[in-house]
Amino acid sequence: MQRRELIKLLGLGTIAAGIGNKAFSATNKKVKGPLVLSTWYNQSVTANLAAWKILEAKGTALDAVEAGVQVSENDWGNCCVGLGANPDREGHVTLDASIMNHRYEIGAVAALERIKSPIHTARLVMEKTPHVMLVGLGAQEFAVSQGAALEKEVLSDHAQKSYDEWLKKSEYQPIMNIEKQGGPHMPDPMESGEFNHDTIGMIAMDAEGNLSGACTTSGMGFKMRGRLGDSPIIGAGLYVDNEVGAATATGHGEEVIRICGSFLVVELMRQGHSPEQACKKAVERSKAKTPRDR
Ligand code: SD4
């Protein structure tokens, strides 16, 4: 906050506040919360509403993003977040999540099975352990020790259907055909059935002006067992710097990790780029740095 104030005093109007930078540069005033942003749209509107309820009541950005993304985690019909999501190629639903607050506190879980809210477990890792990430069985045992129920391992009907379909060819095709979708305006994957991934990442600013972010996913559908994407990796799938801004990512995690995507976006904002410019530069970096045979 102090740095944002300082930036304002220096008159560097284009320095990003991560969310709401336009308001910042247009008026040269401090961006005011509350604000909430999340990836994708249709499903995210309900998630944003849950976050908004908390922000509106002067709750913290941290509580807001946790409650917001939990809407997707609890949605049994979601292809790609929570226990109803698509499994890995061995038929197991494995979940990844990360959370970060305005004090640079971080928590993450990866390859977590049979636990309903990976984001809550990630928050507990942040708040109750000396570590920042727990994976696999250890993460599961920790969640249970903190009161989470160990759910039965069953696939949702839609996930079973998609998995059966996938098994026919057992092809791993995480690439989206954007051109086929008519450009970058991506349709809702639940309607089109054409996407095999769809994470929710959410960033928020509360009335105090503090930022937090959360990211949760089942990762790529039909991924290799043990594969992790960007979502549980701080700096890749999520980054929050209360002095500058926040970013979260969705898409092909391998590429986001390659460029430390969310951290890169925040660092570019720190250098004076608007959020939009920073995202564009990160995408350009990704394009330039991805090995050509990938
Ligand atoms: C991953 N980034 O595991 C996630 C997938 C995703 O929309 O974002 N899907 O690579």
Side-chain angles (χ1 to χ4, degrees):
M1 281 303 295
Q2 276 170 349
R3 181 167 160 84
R4 279 210 298 268
E5 292 278 352
L6 183 65
I7 287 164
K8 182 183 111 186
L9 290 173
L10 290 173
L12 299 176
T14 56
I15 297 283
I19 41 187
N21 176 62
K22 277 201 176 140
F24 188 101
S25 54
T27 63
N28 206 18
K29 282 189 185 139
K30 192 179 72 179
V31 172
K32 288 213 176 85
L35 290 169
V36 60
L37 285 181
S38 64
T39 55
W40 302 93
Y41 46 106
N42 284 356
Q43 300 161 58
S44 302
V45 172
T46 16
N48 287 358
L49 280 175
W52 190 254
K53 239 175 152 176
I54 291 174
L55 293 171
E56 215 176 16
K58 303 259 183 295
T60 64
L62 184 67
D63 286 343
V65 292
E66 181 187 11
V69 302
Q70 274 178 331
V71 170
S72 299
E73 287 182 341
N74 291 334
D75 178 1
W76 192 242
N78 193 309
C79 69
C80 314
V81 181
L83 289 177
N86 288 331
D88 65 14
R89 58 175 67 178
E90 313 294 327
H92 302 286
V93 176
T94 70
L95 304 174
D96 304 331
S98 62
I99 197 160
M100 184 162 186
N101 70 12
H102 65 289
R103 291 162 21 116
Y104 307 92
E105 290 174 317
I106 54 179
V109 288
L112 178 62
E113 297 180 28
R114 298 173 57 193
I115 298 295
K116 207 169 166 190
S117 181
I119 201 66
H120 184 62
T121 313
R123 181 168 177 174
L124 291 172
V125 170
M126 175 173 92
E127 291 177 345
K128 302 264 166 85
T129 81
H131 306 302
V132 299
M133 183 189 264
L134 292 177
V135 306
L137 260 190
Q140 188 189 72
E141 282 167 12
F142 170 68
V144 170
S145 78
Q146 297 297 308
L150 191 57
E151 306 289 339
K152 284 209 181 83
E153 191 173 25
V154 274
L155 292 185
S156 63
D157 289 348
H158 67 85
Q160 186 69 57
K161 214 170 124 203
S162 307
Y163 184 47
D164 290 344
E165 200 49 43
W166 181 81
L167 281 174
K168 285 184 192 161
K169 289 194 191 157
S170 299
E171 276 175 358
Y172 184 50
Q173 287 185 325
I175 313 280
M176 303 183 284
N177 186 340
I178 291 193
E179 265 157 34
K180 209 164 131 203
Q181 306 292 337
H185 303 286
M186 299 181 189
D188 182 275
M190 297 302 286
E191 281 165 16
S192 71
E194 293 219 24
F195 288 88
N196 62 3
H197 59 97
D198 182 15
T199 297
I200 184 162
M202 180 180 282
I203 51 182
M205 180 191 283
D206 58 32
E208 298 283 308
N210 287 323
L211 301 173
S212 283
C215 187
T216 179
T217 188
S218 60
M220 293 281 181
F222 323 118
K223 61 196 175 186
M224 284 177 69
R225 185 134 179 85
R227 177 265 185 194
L228 293 184
D230 57 320
S231 309
I233 300 177
I234 295 293
L238 176 70
Y239 198 71
V240 175
D241 184 328
N242 212 45
E243 295 173 345
V244 179
T248 186
T250 180
H252 199 159
E254 283 73 3
E255 302 316 319
V256 181
I257 294 171
R258 197 185 313 283
I259 58 160
C260 298
S262 294
F263 181 73
L264 176 63
V265 168
V266 172
E267 286 308 295
L268 287 165
M269 291 194 290
R270 188 192 306 280
Q271 290 166 23
H273 296 286
S274 71
E276 191 179 347
Q277 287 165 343
C279 290
K280 188 161 181 268
K281 280 192 168 293
V283 171
E284 285 166 358
R285 173 89 59 99
S286 172
K287 197 175 162 209
K289 303 292 180 192
T290 300
R292 296 194 70 180
D293 57 347
R294 288 254 148 201

